[in-house]
Amino acid sequence: MGKNIGVVSEQQVIENCDRLSRFIGGKNALVAQGGGQRGIFTAGVLDAFNLSNFDPFDVYYGTSAGALNLCAFLCRQHGLGKAFITDLTTDSSFFNLFAYIRKKQYVDLSWALERIVEYPYRLDLDMGRQVLGERKAYAAVTSSDTLIDHYLPMTHSNWRDVLLASCAIPTLCHHPININGESYVDGGISASIPVQEAWRQGARFIAVIRTESVINNKAGIPSANLPPKPSEAWLRQSFSYLQNQWQQKVTQWRQDWRNYVRQKMSLVPQEEMLNGGRWLFGSEQLYRMSHLIGGAVDTHLTDMLMVHYQTYALTLEFLKRPPDDVFVIQIAPEQPLRSNTLLSRKSDLLWDYEQGLQAGYNFIRSWENARALSGQPLKASKSGLLES
């Protein structure tokens, strides 16, 4: 491991907290990856935080299921993120594979969000806003037109639309989400793990909750197409800047990605079609699902896949070798989760939740060890509502 990175799982903590202790007194960010029902691991981590009255963060960034989980955490509703995934996303009203194939019945996140504010769940957005105070919480979304990442406040009056947009997976959702005249789709396309944005906005300690095992994680893209390690100045720019820098390569890359995805499709067994990836479904699964409902694989979908893989590769590079002025800890499962992104068994979801719960407690142990070395006050919460 590098000098300013670490990994916490259900089986390990940060042993040497001396360097970490130098970073936790400034602006701290919490970042939550998406992953569909694999967000049950994130729900476990955040429930450990809630049960421990632990919240030392100044800003929050979530993508897709990560944003949904952060919303429940900020509302201080232990178990709500877990219930959302185990109760609502497993209901046939949310998604039914055969109805999707035969009737083009898409994922119905609107139904789930309507249920979550009613009995017995009762999402308390007023509490969430009170907990946040002057702090900020953002959901990552992607512009449907430019494929550039945007970060929208997730607890304002339009919170439903923001969460819908962050989760609006192409081919699985009916259409992009319109917010203030702009059309948005899944944040996982351009910012599956919005850790760079947290750093650009001044965070110098960043905790990243992953839904993939770091040990087994691979970008899943041809290494010949990856750019060299970006400089710190380059990383500070938004993706719109990177798009401009890469414009001359786009045509060639688009063709390379089409050929790559077609090759991958021919190698993936049909029974693995629903074994999802970091962007709800991997590229070959998106293509297969599009064909199942009679949709065409158009250039825009190809471009989304290209942008996703490029930005994800840069994110992995950032997590492996972050700039010297930031400390990054990934909270991740030791082994690949048992859950799928959709159509998971409840027993697998409950198992993964317990792994997340233990990983959350291990992170708190690491943080408290670093806090003791730094000489900071005992309480690790920046929300007065959690102080005893």
Side-chain angles (χ1 to χ4, degrees):
M1 284 293 178
K3 60 184 179 180
N4 58 334
I5 59 175
V7 175
V8 171
S9 72
E10 69 275 14
Q11 298 181 24
Q12 67 181 91
V13 298
I14 303 296
E15 297 293 346
N16 185 355
C17 296
D18 181 63
R19 184 166 179 82
L20 170 60
S21 68
R22 307 173 199 174
F23 286 83
I24 63 177
K27 185 175 182 180
N28 304 321
L30 179 61
V31 173
Q33 182 181 14
Q37 289 177 341
R38 287 174 176 168
I40 195 69
F41 178 85
T42 303
V45 172
L46 295 176
D47 275 353
F49 290 2
N50 259 335
L51 290 169
S52 304
N53 290 346
F54 178 82
D55 183 8
F57 304 105
D58 301 281
V59 63
Y60 311 82
Y61 293 90
T63 298
S64 192
L68 291 164
N69 274 310
L70 282 175
C71 192
F73 169 68
L74 291 170
C75 294
R76 298 301 186 241
Q77 291 175 274
H78 161 247
L80 187 61
K82 175 186 177 184
F84 185 90
I85 293 174
T86 58
D87 295 353
L88 300 181
T89 71
T90 59
D91 193 295
S92 60
S93 296
F94 178 77
F95 181 72
N96 183 287
L97 177 61
F98 296 105
Y100 174 78
I101 295 172
R102 296 168 61 187
K103 305 176 185 178
K104 294 188 180 181
Q105 179 177 312
Y106 295 89
V107 166
D108 195 351
L109 187 62
S110 295
W111 169 84
L113 292 179
E114 289 171 2
R115 290 289 310 279
I116 205 67
V117 297
E118 300 173 348
Y119 179 83
Y121 308 106
R122 295 189 183 278
L123 178 67
D124 190 350
L125 265 298
D126 289 335
M127 173 62 77
R129 296 175 188 119
Q130 189 177 353
V131 166
L132 269 179
E134 298 300 317
R135 298 180 296 168
K136 306 296 182 183
Y138 300 100
V141 297
T142 302
S143 168
S144 178
D145 297 323
T146 65
L147 303 185
I148 294 173
D149 53 316
H150 294 263
Y151 302 89
L152 306 180
M154 69 170 72
T155 59
H156 288 187
S157 59
N158 65 343
W159 66 274
R160 282 187 182 86
D161 288 339
V162 169
L163 293 179
L164 282 172
S166 190
C167 300
I169 311 296
T171 76
L172 286 179
C173 295
H174 188 249
H175 51 69
I177 305 301
N178 186 281
I179 301 176
N180 297 327
E182 299 290 334
S183 293
Y184 298 106
V185 291
D186 174 32
I189 295 170
S190 58
S192 55
I193 312 172
V195 59
Q196 294 107 312
E197 179 66 13
W199 174 70
R200 291 187 198 109
Q201 299 304 321
R204 290 303 171 258
F205 170 77
I206 307 174
V208 181
I209 306 176
R210 299 288 301 277
T211 51
E212 300 169 294
S213 170
V214 174
I215 296 173
N216 295 282
N217 184 40
K218 296 180 181 179
I221 56 178
S223 58
N225 287 335
L226 290 181
K229 182 182 185 298
S231 67
E232 184 168 318
W234 199 41
L235 283 170
R236 289 185 183 276
Q237 304 300 319
S238 65
F239 183 62
S240 59
Y241 173 83
L242 302 185
Q243 282 185 313
N244 291 333
Q245 298 299 305
W246 293 343
Q247 193 60 48
Q248 66 273 23
K249 299 181 180 181
V250 165
T251 302
Q252 181 60 48
W253 275 0
R254 180 178 292 152
Q255 186 59 47
D256 290 344
W257 284 110
R258 284 176 181 165
N259 293 337
Y260 171 70
V261 169
R262 289 193 186 102
Q263 181 183 19
K264 290 284 287 183
M265 284 176 62
S266 66
L267 297 175
V268 176
Q270 185 72 22
E271 61 268 20
E272 294 185 9
M273 179 181 65
L274 292 174
N275 183 16
R278 67 191 64 89
W279 177 27
L280 194 57
F281 291 101
S283 57
E284 60 275 5
Q285 286 87 355
L286 277 169
Y287 272 72
R288 289 186 188 277
M289 296 299 282
S290 182
H291 281 299
L292 280 173
I293 62 172
V297 180
D298 58 20
T299 301
H300 195 53
L301 179 58
T302 304
D303 289 348
M304 287 181 182
L305 292 168
M306 181 179 68
V307 168
H308 165 69
Y309 279 113
Q310 290 168 356
T311 56
Y312 188 76
L314 287 174
T315 298
L316 291 185
E317 187 62 44
F318 183 97
L319 291 170
K320 186 190 303 182
R321 293 183 286 178
D324 292 336
D325 63 349
V326 63
F327 200 105
V328 178
I329 289 183
Q330 298 182 69
I331 308 170
E334 191 77 16
Q335 299 296 326
L337 295 174
R338 295 183 179 184
S339 308
N340 295 315
T341 47
L342 273 178
L343 305 178
S344 304
R345 295 183 300 180
K346 284 196 177 183
S347 59
D348 290 336
L349 292 171
L350 294 175
W351 172 271
D352 290 341
Y353 172 81
E354 293 297 327
Q355 307 311 298
L357 199 65
Q358 186 57 53
Y361 288 132
N362 284 347
F363 175 80
I364 295 170
R365 284 178 53 197
S366 301
W367 176 276
E368 287 300 324
N369 290 338
R371 181 206 54 76
L373 289 171
S374 71
Q376 290 193 27
L378 179 62
K379 282 295 182 181
S381 172
K382 293 192 177 182
S383 168
L385 294 173
L386 285 181
E387 300 289 341
S388 59

